[in-house]
Amino acid sequence: MLNRVRSAVAHLVSSGGAPPPRPKSPDLPDDTSAPPAAAAEAPKSPPARPGSASGSGASAKPGEARASFSRPTFLQLSPGGLRRADDHAGRAVQSPPDRGRRLPWNTGYAEVINAGKSRHNEDQACCEVVYVEGRRSGPGALRELSHGQGLCFHYWGLFDGHAGGGAAEMASRLLHRHIREQLKDLVEILQGPSPPPLCLPSTPESPGSCDPAHLVSPQSCWSSQKEVTHDGLVVGAIENAFQLMDEQMARERHGHHVEGGCCALVVVYLLGKVYVANAGDSRAIIVRNGEIIPMSREFTPETERQRLQLLGFLKPELLGSEFTHLEFPRRVQPKELGQRMLYRDQNMTGWAYKKIELEDLRFPLVCGEGKKARVMATIGVTRGLGDHNLKVCSSTLPIKPFLSCFPEVRVYDLTQYEHCPDDVLVLGTDGLWDVTSDREVAATVDRVLSAYEPNDPSRYTALAQALVLGARGTPRDRGWRLPNNKLGSGDDISVFVIPLGGPGSYS
Amino acid sequence: MLNRVRSAVAHLVSSGGAPPPRPKSPDLPDDTSAPPAAAAEAPKSPPARPGSASGSGASAKPGEARASFSRPTFLQLSPGGLRRADDHAGRAVQSPPDRGRRLPWNTGYAEVINAGKSRHNEDQACCEVVYVEGRRSGPGALRELSHGQGLCFHYWGLFDGHAGGGAAEMASRLLHRHIREQLKDLVEILQGPSPPPLCLPSTPESPGSCDPAHLVSPQSCWSSQKEVTHDGLVVGAIENAFQLMDEQMARERHGHHVEGGCCALVVVYLLGKVYVANAGDSRAIIVRNGEIIPMSREFTPETERQRLQLLGFLKPELLGSEFTHLEFPRRVQPKELGQRMLYRDQNMTGWAYKKIELEDLRFPLVCGEGKKARVMATIGVTRGLGDHNLKVCSSTLPIKPFLSCFPEVRVYDLTQYEHCPDDVLVLGTDGLWDVTSDREVAATVDRVLSAYEPNDPSRYTALAQALVLGARGTPRDRGWRLPNNKLGSGDDISVFVIPLGGPGSYS
């Protein structure tokens, strides 16, 4: 995510090379100690449990000042390992240890720090198995369904931070808890055979139950009602969890100094289906029998140009007097007043000429191409979490109104296809994809996995490492070079490889 | 387009079955007699030339009150033929006469009136070869490039009217003129080998010329400028032409009583490329060697739900106190206050439960499914021209702010593929597609064209007739039945079949 917030980094980090003292991260109560009444509220920020095989995020204990940076706890890094992971010169590839408990599904993981562009690795990752208690509310008190009536989901998250690591770290510790919270009301509905009831009673003995006496069932309603699927409910739960995560960052940003923002790419496996939710420019693909199935698309100033321009057009006050919602192929210069220049407005995909007027001399809301495309000359991604403090450089104009925290969620039904041990879902931050095509990733999948026995549980981490090494390059001449002598990615790179079939899967 | 404006029809047309007297259509000067200075202004509304093989739209002479309805002039209908075309009981299929001059490219065309749902056929069609003079402006006066320096484009348009036939008729007579007007400045640029200059001088001796001394060429500009293609310029010209057509309807709606609105599906063939522009729920597909290539998508309350909801969210004043931007699977009832119902907001593709509050009792901005989906309980398409007078039933709330006049334009490069005489581009209003799948259309293409010699120029009209007959059905029992005994389309149906290869094409 380096280079994706240009002016903002300069704005938020002092320019002398030495970063400002990193603010103390929030030390919120672990929700295991929270009173029952608080369990229904927004998830709090608990510290991660050091040594937990599947925990993520912070390694500090409650009450301790957090280390100046942290890596996912499933890496089980010693203090020395943590220092090596933070070394820009060595750029050692980090993976979970081969000994001990593996990540669920034998998931492979590897990461590497950037080549000196930010002080710390601003990517974060999380891999968890999350149990969702069904929620019932008795009169005046909340209580949970008896054990065994709940649901499990598997969860993987990659968080690519920018302008600071705080948002990515917070998201890696909490987003899956928001998803769990959203699913609590749906536990019984999702496990039942019927489509979701359109309407639930408000304060009955058993809200969320499918007791027909309490529910306005689809059959009793208008004939023109829409049928909502179970998938649609899970997608809605994930979407709302992203929004609630973002709102929590907004609430806590002052007290806890949540820095910057992050892209979020999240996978939820629930009841036979894989939900891939993406907000930002990370990417997920499935490689199945050598075939590539895209599971996400990137949200950038270019791909979201028309959404951004429409917002600027409808709410010109968001542009201040500094920006125009019109797009020009380059910055208009004062001497060109009165001439005619190519432009696009929010309704156009083509271009036309317009006479340049004074307002057109303002900076375009969206400008640049490819990795250099920017919103308000500042940020290169248009969806994600955080960024509540992000301002246009040398201005008080907030950028957040143009950013969306909502992911696009794609659903993949695992039961519809017989998967073999070489079929994988690959998640990567943009550091991977900037220098590696989908096709090259698929070729690496084939090359690496075929070198291991199908039931060797270490093959997926070996694949993740190969992908990270192939994108990072090796230190040659001046820079990290790829085999073709092009520069490798100088960005932080994080990769999950999730096997979709074979021994050890789904467990 | 019948059934697509539910309450609005009831609102605009008296309910007794007898339609109100149709207002006199505009009789504006033919632009061939317009003074040179006016030529650069918005195209005026000329009457079509009766008997013209390629003319379209109205058959009235200048100064005459227009007949109570009109059909495309290329049908060359006699007064008796016009009456037969207006007969709901017979529903005779209309095509251009087999004798005399054919439509360009031997284009096939057929249409049929609806089964009594509106008084007249509200579809209109146009097929023209349009010559674009390049525009130069000398000091103080406009003049055109010398003949031979211009450009020709081929043009086909289908206009599916609703709530009156005026908008469709006006668009069929004028939209191609707006496109011509937009292309005038681009004649030399499009014929040159260079990419479009980013900037043109304002009032030089020869604006639009590619004289490098006058132009800010791409090479002299910032390195970060975007390269704009010739295709992008043509797309922009078509997009702006749609907007100008819509603005002209708004300006003239009071004086000329432009009734209702229309979907517009337009094809422009220019310099080897086919541009398909669609605003509404008509559809274009290419059938090439039996393969189906979609060339448009439909714009309906369902496909544009999030755009509509976002607008309602950002501009709640457009919803009055009558509508909510939230979507519910059915209308919320007062007795459900306080209960929790499934909903989606503008950012969601999934569903979640929310507690019903007073505001949720308002009618949803978007409701219903499939052909019954509506914006503000009124209109079933979300893009098109006109509808400036359209109000929510029993309300003064305008619907136009939610409708977009901008088309989606897709480009197909004819030179990239060797086409055979059986390769066709099929355009149809929704009356065709409501009862005929793409696959069925492709099967009819194969069946009908193989029954004719490849060089028989009448085969494309025979195909258009077969498509219309297959969608209309035949009069059996009570209704127009398809072979599978399902009801055929009771809507107006219009179909163009444009051959993409073989003898007679591109001329």
Side-chain angles (χ1 to χ4, degrees):
Chain A
M1 181 48 54
L2 278 163
N3 276 333
R4 307 300 270 157
V5 182
R6 200 174 48 181
S7 323
V9 174
H11 191 60
L12 294 169
V13 175
S14 65
S15 59
R22 199 158 179 282
K24 188 167 164 293
S25 291
D27 288 312
L28 295 173
D30 188 319
D31 74 352
T32 54
S33 64
E41 294 173 10
K44 297 296 190 294
S45 294
R49 288 145 292 178
S52 152
S54 57
S56 72
S59 56
K61 288 179 189 162
E64 277 187 1
R66 200 178 306 284
S68 63
F69 73 104
S70 70
R71 302 310 311 145
T73 46
F74 61 64
L75 289 176
Q76 302 177 44
L77 293 176
S78 65
L82 203 58
R83 276 193 301 276
R84 279 191 296 281
D86 200 34
D87 172 20
H88 297 287
R91 296 190 82 191
V93 175
Q94 306 295 323
S95 281
D98 208 24
R99 65 185 185 280
R101 194 173 154 198
R102 294 186 178 279
L103 291 180
W105 293 19
N106 289 326
T107 296
Y109 176 81
E111 64 165 50
V112 73
I113 194 171
N114 63 77
K117 294 183 176 177
S118 73
R119 173 70 181 268
H120 299 297
N121 188 340
E122 293 179 348
D123 285 1
Q124 289 293 347
C126 178
C127 178
E128 294 271 2
V129 181
V130 183
Y131 183 74
V132 189
E133 301 273 1
R135 183 156 46 202
R136 288 177 190 267
S137 59
L142 289 164
R143 57 191 172 83
E144 293 184 333
L145 292 174
S146 61
H147 210 78
Q149 289 187 277
L151 269 180
C152 255
F153 68 88
H154 288 68
Y155 173 87
W156 299 259
L158 282 187
F159 305 92
D160 184 351
H162 52 251
E169 195 186 310
M170 188 173 182
S172 75
R173 285 183 291 116
L174 293 178
L175 181 55
H176 53 295
R177 295 169 187 246
H178 280 287
I179 294 174
R180 182 187 60 188
E181 206 63 29
Q182 291 300 304
L183 290 173
K184 277 187 174 174
D185 284 338
L186 311 177
V187 164
E188 284 181 298
I189 295 169
L190 293 176
Q191 293 181 106
S194 313
L198 302 191
C199 196
L200 297 174
S202 53
T203 52
E205 280 304 298
S206 55
S209 102
C210 281
D211 177 4
H214 287 288
L215 302 176
V216 182
S217 77
Q219 288 68 31
S220 68
C221 301
W222 297 3
S223 63
S224 65
Q225 74 198 8
K226 291 208 174 189
E227 181 149 317
V228 173
T229 61
H230 286 183
D231 294 3
L233 274 195
V234 178
V235 171
I238 295 171
E239 290 172 326
N240 276 341
F242 271 66
Q243 185 175 31
L244 290 164
M245 182 74 251
D246 195 55
E247 288 173 3
Q248 184 179 5
M249 286 183 181
R251 278 196 311 276
E252 299 188 5
R253 74 184 189 275
H254 297 301
H256 301 293
H257 303 286
V258 180
E259 307 156 307
C262 68
C263 299
L265 171 60
V266 154
V267 173
V268 169
Y269 169 76
L270 178 65
L271 296 169
K273 287 181 179 161
V274 172
Y275 300 81
V276 180
N278 186 44
D281 64 354
S282 297
R283 186 186 298 171
I285 65 170
I286 285 175
V287 181
R288 190 182 70 191
N289 198 19
E291 182 197 356
I292 294 160
I293 303 166
M295 289 304 295
S296 68
R297 64 188 169 108
E298 287 87 71
F299 295 96
T300 68
E302 287 192 300
T303 63
E304 294 219 280
R305 173 183 64 86
Q306 289 185 279
R307 176 179 75 76
L308 300 165
Q309 286 186 295
L310 178 65
L311 184 57
F313 172 74
L314 293 174
K315 298 264 187 192
E317 65 273 20
L318 298 177
L319 301 171
S321 57
E322 298 152 66
F323 292 92
T324 167
H325 79 276
L326 294 182
E327 184 188 15
F328 297 95
R330 63 164 172 75
R331 182 75 187 270
V332 183
Q333 295 164 45
K335 66 180 180 188
E336 291 165 338
L337 261 178
Q339 297 188 13
R340 288 176 300 156
M341 188 173 273
L342 288 171
Y343 82 103
R344 289 199 282 197
D345 80 9
Q346 75 278 1
N347 292 306
M348 297 169 72
T349 58
W351 296 81
Y353 289 99
K354 88 176 286 291
K355 192 174 165 185
I356 296 296
E357 295 162 26
L358 256 180
E359 286 203 352
D360 302 323
L361 296 179
R362 297 176 179 181
F363 207 87
L365 171 63
V366 175
C367 69
E369 276 185 301
K371 296 300 281 184
K372 291 182 175 173
R374 290 287 180 283
V375 180
M376 295 178 137
T378 303
I379 187 166
V381 284
T382 51
R383 298 210 190 185
L385 303 165
D387 287 318
H388 297 279
N389 294 324
L390 191 64
K391 301 280 195 297
V392 174
C393 190
S394 312
S395 162
T396 57
L397 213 53
I399 297 174
K400 183 66 179 175
F402 290 96
L403 308 179
S404 168
C405 65
F406 277 86
E408 182 187 71
V409 187
R410 298 193 185 184
V411 188
Y412 179 82
D413 189 344
L414 266 188
T415 65
Q416 292 297 300
Y417 194 88
E418 191 80 26
H419 292 90
C420 76
D422 288 3
D423 295 339
V424 290
L425 171 56
V426 178
L427 316 183
T429 53
D430 66 338
L432 172 68
W433 306 104
D434 285 349
V435 296
T436 323
S437 68
D438 293 2
R439 187 59 39 220
E440 289 166 333
V441 167
T444 306
V445 168
D446 181 50
R447 179 173 56 80
V448 174
L449 293 187
S450 63
Y452 286 76
E453 289 296 322
N455 59 356
D456 182 340
S458 66
R459 65 205 301 257
Y460 304 108
T461 285
L463 171 53
Q465 289 168 336
L467 289 169
V468 169
L469 275 167
R472 178 201 73 169
T474 47
R476 272 186 290 151
D477 305 332
R478 274 177 294 178
W480 295 82
R481 299 277 165 179
L482 303 177
N484 57 14
N485 208 35
K486 285 188 180 164
L487 266 181
S489 173
D491 202 350
D492 305 315
I493 310 170
S494 307
V495 171
F496 270 127
V497 174
I498 307 172
L500 298 179
S505 286
Y506 317 154
S507 62
Chain B
M1 184 47 53
L2 276 162
N3 275 334
R4 306 300 269 156
V5 181
R6 197 173 51 182
S7 323
V9 174
H11 190 60
L12 294 169
V13 174
S14 65
S15 60
R22 199 161 180 278
K24 188 168 163 291
S25 292
D27 288 313
L28 295 174
D30 187 318
D31 75 351
T32 56
S33 64
E41 295 171 10
K44 300 293 191 296
S45 294
R49 289 144 293 181
S52 151
S54 58
S56 72
S59 56
K61 288 180 191 162
E64 279 186 3
R66 201 177 305 283
S68 64
F69 74 103
S70 70
R71 302 310 313 144
T73 47
F74 61 64
L75 289 176
Q76 302 176 46
L77 293 176
S78 65
L82 204 58
R83 276 193 301 275
R84 279 191 297 280
D86 201 34
D87 172 21
H88 296 286
R91 296 190 81 191
V93 175
Q94 307 295 321
S95 280
D98 208 23
R99 66 185 185 283
R101 193 174 155 200
R102 294 186 177 280
L103 291 181
W105 294 18
N106 289 326
T107 296
Y109 176 82
E111 64 164 53
V112 74
I113 194 172
N114 63 75
K117 295 184 178 178
S118 74
R119 173 68 179 269
H120 299 296
N121 187 340
E122 292 178 351
D123 283 2
Q124 290 292 347
C126 177
C127 178
E128 294 272 0
V129 181
V130 183
Y131 182 73
V132 190
E133 302 275 1
R135 182 155 50 198
R136 288 176 190 269
S137 60
L142 290 163
R143 59 193 171 82
E144 290 184 334
L145 291 175
S146 62
H147 210 77
Q149 290 187 274
L151 271 179
C152 255
F153 68 88
H154 289 68
Y155 173 88
W156 299 259
L158 282 187
F159 305 92
D160 183 350
H162 51 252
E169 195 186 312
M170 189 173 183
S172 75
R173 287 183 291 115
L174 293 178
L175 181 55
H176 53 295
R177 295 169 188 246
H178 280 287
I179 294 174
R180 182 186 61 188
E181 207 63 28
Q182 292 301 303
L183 290 173
K184 277 187 174 174
D185 284 338
L186 311 177
V187 164
E188 284 181 298
I189 296 168
L190 293 176
Q191 293 181 106
S194 312
L198 302 191
C199 195
L200 296 174
S202 53
T203 52
E205 283 303 298
S206 54
S209 99
C210 281
D211 176 5
H214 287 287
L215 301 176
V216 182
S217 77
Q219 288 70 29
S220 70
C221 301
W222 299 3
S223 63
S224 64
Q225 72 197 10
K226 290 209 176 187
E227 182 149 317
V228 174
T229 62
H230 286 183
D231 294 4
L233 275 194
V234 177
V235 171
I238 294 171
E239 289 171 328
N240 276 340
F242 270 67
Q243 185 175 31
L244 290 164
M245 181 74 252
D246 195 56
E247 288 174 2
Q248 184 179 4
M249 286 182 181
R251 280 195 309 277
E252 300 187 5
R253 72 185 191 274
H254 297 301
H256 301 292
H257 303 288
V258 180
E259 307 156 306
C262 67
C263 298
L265 172 59
V266 153
V267 173
V268 170
Y269 169 74
L270 177 66
L271 296 170
K273 288 179 178 162
V274 172
Y275 301 82
V276 180
N278 186 45
D281 64 355
S282 297
R283 186 187 298 172
I285 65 170
I286 285 175
V287 181
R288 189 181 72 191
N289 197 21
E291 182 197 354
I292 293 161
I293 304 166
M295 289 302 296
S296 68
R297 63 189 170 108
E298 287 88 70
F299 296 97
T300 68
E302 286 191 299
T303 64
E304 295 219 279
R305 172 183 65 85
Q306 289 184 280
R307 176 180 75 76
L308 300 165
Q309 287 186 293
L310 179 64
L311 184 56
F313 172 72
L314 292 174
K315 297 265 187 192
E317 64 274 19
L318 298 176
L319 300 171
S321 57
E322 300 154 66
F323 291 92
T324 168
H325 79 277
L326 294 182
E327 185 189 13
F328 297 96
R330 63 163 171 77
R331 183 75 187 268
V332 182
Q333 295 165 44
K335 67 179 181 192
E336 291 164 339
L337 262 178
Q339 298 188 15
R340 287 177 301 157
M341 187 173 271
L342 287 172
Y343 82 103
R344 289 200 282 196
D345 79 9
Q346 75 278 0
N347 291 306
M348 297 169 71
T349 58
W351 296 81
Y353 290 98
K354 88 177 283 292
K355 190 174 167 186
I356 296 296
E357 295 162 23
L358 256 182
E359 285 204 354
D360 301 324
L361 296 179
R362 297 176 179 182
F363 207 88
L365 171 62
V366 175
C367 68
E369 274 186 303
K371 296 300 282 184
K372 290 182 176 172
R374 290 288 181 280
V375 180
M376 295 177 134
T378 302
I379 187 166
V381 285
T382 50
R383 298 212 190 186
L385 303 165
D387 287 318
H388 297 279
N389 294 325
L390 191 65
K391 301 278 193 296
V392 174
C393 190
S394 312
S395 162
T396 57
L397 212 54
I399 296 173
K400 183 69 178 173
F402 290 95
L403 308 179
S404 168
C405 65
F406 277 84
E408 182 187 70
V409 187
R410 299 194 184 184
V411 188
Y412 180 81
D413 189 345
L414 265 188
T415 65
Q416 292 297 301
Y417 195 88
E418 192 81 24
H419 293 89
C420 77
D422 289 4
D423 295 339
V424 291
L425 171 56
V426 178
L427 316 182
T429 52
D430 65 338
L432 173 67
W433 306 104
D434 285 350
V435 295
T436 323
S437 69
D438 293 1
R439 187 67 25 228
E440 288 167 334
V441 166
T444 305
V445 168
D446 181 51
R447 178 173 56 79
V448 174
L449 293 187
S450 63
Y452 286 76
E453 290 295 322
N455 59 356
D456 182 340
S458 66
R459 64 205 300 258
Y460 304 108
T461 285
L463 172 53
Q465 289 168 335
L467 290 170
V468 169
L469 275 166
R472 179 201 72 171
T474 48
R476 272 186 292 151
D477 305 334
R478 275 178 292 177
W480 297 82
R481 297 279 165 178
L482 302 178
N484 55 15
N485 208 34
K486 287 191 178 161
L487 265 182
S489 173
D491 203 349
D492 304 316
I493 310 170
S494 307
V495 171
F496 271 127
V497 175
I498 306 172
L500 298 179
S505 286
Y506 318 153
S507 62

